[in-house]
Amino acid sequence: DTGVSQDPRHKITKRGQNVTFRCDPISEHNRLYWYRQTLGQGPEFLTYFQNEAQLEKSRLLSDRFSAERPKGSFSTLEIQRTEQGDSAMYLCASSSTSGSYNEQFFGPGTRLTVL
Amino acid sequence: DQQVKQNSPSLSVQEGRISILNCDYTNSMFDYFLWYKKYPAEGPTFLISISSIKDKNEDGRFTVFLNKSAKHLSLHIVPSQPGDSAVYFCAAKYTGGFKTIFGAGTRLFVKA
């Protein structure tokens, strides 16, 4: 399977703990996005990477959130000092600058539950 | 500030009939619109898109219509099939922007 993969699929943590999620995009895609989705809502944009450069961050991404994409391959999203309001599905997507660049390919998501 | 709105949380349609999913947007800068479909426990998958220079785009059973003056687009599925039952997200972006703005989604039920 050469689609976008995310790990873990589910994470349960206690308030105040740090968590880290990983995303492996489609190998030839140089664009990578992180979204957050809560119940009854659509995906909300968090941040965007082109290769290893983080080119845009949403105001939703507070200073407790940090994302990296070393070497322009996989990406990690870390949440420090988690709060109950961080409970959501975190989606990763990737796309290519060639062809239909507007189409993003999504991973299955990581569901975070903060107790 | 919801820039992309899907006002119908759910829609139920009989198999073989037409499904029409609606979407409204507020930002005049948007020039590209997309529809994604999402099954449970999966990420959204791209379905069809339309550029603002067009008013219609068709792909098999799926057609998207864009009315720029009304800032409205719709997705038509004809004929509807039970496998089309999913959540459909309308999304929009503008040239030079990196983010895609999604609506809240409409859950489609196609009854056999």
Side-chain angles (χ1 to χ4, degrees):
Chain A
D1 185 20
T2 57
V4 178
S5 62
Q6 294 187 244
D7 184 69
R9 294 291 304 274
H10 303 273
K11 179 70 177 178
I12 299 174
T13 191
K14 293 182 179 179
R15 189 177 53 186
Q17 297 295 305
N18 299 342
V19 294
T20 300
F21 310 141
R22 177 180 171 122
C23 170
D24 286 272
I26 294 172
S27 58
E28 61 267 27
H29 286 181
N30 58 346
R31 297 182 173 194
L32 187 145
Y33 311 79
W34 284 98
Y35 292 86
R36 181 175 68 185
Q37 185 179 13
T38 54
L39 195 62
Q41 299 299 316
E44 293 178 284
F45 173 83
L46 291 179
T47 191
Y48 162 73
F49 289 86
Q50 182 157 322
N51 299 310
E52 65 276 8
Q54 188 175 22
L55 298 184
E56 188 165 356
K57 289 173 59 173
S58 166
R59 286 171 292 179
L60 292 173
L61 216 65
S62 75
D63 56 4
R64 297 186 298 106
F65 288 70
S66 63
E68 294 182 344
R69 193 184 182 196
K71 303 178 183 178
S73 56
F74 72 92
S75 176
T76 58
L77 177 69
E78 181 183 14
I79 308 174
Q80 296 182 328
R81 305 180 304 280
T82 53
E83 301 174 354
Q84 288 184 325
D86 297 331
S87 295
M89 175 74 81
Y90 290 84
L91 293 163
C92 175
S94 69
S95 68
S96 171
T97 50
S98 63
S100 178
Y101 76 95
N102 292 298
E103 175 187 349
Q104 296 174 25
F105 294 81
F106 282 84
T110 294
R111 181 169 296 283
L112 173 66
T113 302
V114 182
L115 303 176
Chain B
D1 177 25
Q2 276 192 305
Q3 299 185 64
V4 178
K5 301 177 184 178
Q6 295 178 257
N7 292 319
S8 298
S10 65
L11 173 68
S12 185
V13 171
Q14 197 69 35
E15 180 181 9
R17 306 294 292 268
I18 185 172
S19 296
I20 299 177
L21 295 91
N22 293 304
C23 177
D24 297 292
Y25 62 95
T26 58
N27 191 336
S28 301
M29 297 283 290
F30 290 145
D31 58 6
Y32 205 85
F33 305 89
L34 310 95
W35 286 92
Y36 284 81
K37 180 169 72 174
K38 185 182 183 305
Y39 293 118
E42 296 181 9
T45 56
F46 171 75
L47 189 58
I48 192 170
S49 63
I50 187 167
S51 165
S52 61
I53 62 173
K54 296 184 176 181
D55 54 19
K56 176 183 174 181
N57 188 29
E58 191 172 352
D59 183 2
R61 297 186 297 114
F62 303 91
T63 303
V64 56
F65 296 92
L66 175 62
N67 182 334
K68 285 179 293 186
S69 61
K71 294 190 177 66
H72 177 84
L73 61 156
S74 60
L75 174 67
H76 292 210
I77 307 174
V78 181
S80 301
Q81 299 173 353
D84 296 329
S85 296
V87 177
Y88 289 79
F89 292 105
C90 172
K93 59 184 304 190
Y94 55 86
T95 301
F98 301 119
K99 66 174 69 173
T100 301
I101 309 299
F102 285 80
T106 296
R107 183 176 297 276
L108 175 66
F109 299 93
V110 180
K111 297 175 289 186

